Every structure is written in C-alpha cells, then in structure tokens.
C-alpha cells in the first residue's frame, strides 16, 4: 500500500465476505499502525447469483469451515505484522516448501468450482 492510502474498499463474492471482513479487520489492526489517520475499511459483496446453486453451496460450506479455522487458529493471537510474516513464510502449510509438497487435494467437486 502507498503510505498515504487510508481508505480501502475490499470487493469480493457474497459467499466470501464474512471471512474476508474478519481477516482484513484483523490484519489492518496489527501493529505497527501508520502515523496519522487510521485505515478505514469498507466492504462490498458481489452477488453470487451467477454461480450454480450446487457450486455455491460447496463454496459456502468451505468458507464456513475456513472462517472457523481462522478465528480459532494461531494467527489471531498474533499482534504484529512481524509475527504474521514469520508464521506465513516459515510455518503456514500453504506457503512453506514442506506445506506445499504435503498439501492434500481438494475434494473433486469443490476443486471443480475454482
């Protein structure tokens, strides 16, 4: 982000908005905070009406599981960007070499929705 940007509009799918809101509010609340005016986050959901109802149901189920994992996981106990950086690049299974190599495949029905 540019140092002078403080107003942020996050646009995502309706089925992703709850998790997106939780993650963005958390990450932009970490220290260090910028000098001057704090960040102002706004969220806009794009309707899911273009998705097949079966596909949408699968994605909604995955999002519900993901938000629980986020809210109960180790990240929310972290209070600084440095801690988050360390975790993501050295411990998170989605980004470390070991994690990528041992990642389990998505259910085929869910994988087909991406």
């Amino acid at each position: 982000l540019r140092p002078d940007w403080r107003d942020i509009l996050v646009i995502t799918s309706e089925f992703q908005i709850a998790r997106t809101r939780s993650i963005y509010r958390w990450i932009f609340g970490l220290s260090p905070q910028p000098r001057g005016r704090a960040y102002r986050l706004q969220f806009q959901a794009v309707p899911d009406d273009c998705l097949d109802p079966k596909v949408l149901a699968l994605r909604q189920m995955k999002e519900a599981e993901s938000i629980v994992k986020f809210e109960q996981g180790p990240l929310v106990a972290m209070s600084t960007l440095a801690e988050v950086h360390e975790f993501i690049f050295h411990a998170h299974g989605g980004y470390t070499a070991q994690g990528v190599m041992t990642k389990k495949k998505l259910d085929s029905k869910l994988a087909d929705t991406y």
Side-chain angles (χ1 to χ4, degrees):
L1 292 176
R2 287 181 30 171
D4 57 334
W5 287 1
R6 293 293 186 273
D7 296 308
I8 301 169
L9 174 61
V10 181
I11 303 170
T12 191
S13 305
E14 181 71 40
F15 72 86
Q16 293 177 316
I17 197 74
R19 183 171 60 97
T20 300
R21 188 179 288 120
S22 291
I23 292 170
Y24 272 77
R25 285 182 175 156
W26 169 73
I27 201 82
F28 280 92
L30 295 171
S31 63
Q33 286 290 306
R35 291 188 192 123
R37 191 166 64 91
Y39 292 110
R40 189 178 82 164
L41 300 174
Q42 294 181 303
F43 300 89
Q44 178 70 45
V46 177
D48 296 328
D49 54 8
C50 64
L51 294 174
D52 177 273
K54 291 179 182 177
V55 168
L56 180 57
L58 287 169
R59 297 299 294 270
Q60 288 169 327
M61 191 168 33
K62 172 91 167 90
E63 284 296 311
E65 293 169 2
S66 294
I67 196 168
V68 169
K69 286 180 185 177
F70 170 70
E71 291 173 346
Q72 295 177 357
L75 282 174
V76 294
M78 297 176 193
S79 60
T80 69
L81 286 171
E83 289 175 297
V84 174
H85 182 273
E86 179 69 22
F87 174 80
I88 288 175
F89 293 106
H90 296 278
H92 190 284
Y95 301 98
T96 64
Q98 180 182 4
V100 171
M101 298 302 290
T102 60
K103 195 170 188 174
K104 65 180 182 177
K105 291 185 179 184
L106 287 176
D107 171 89
S108 63
K109 288 181 184 177
L110 182 60
D112 288 345
T113 70
Y114 285 87

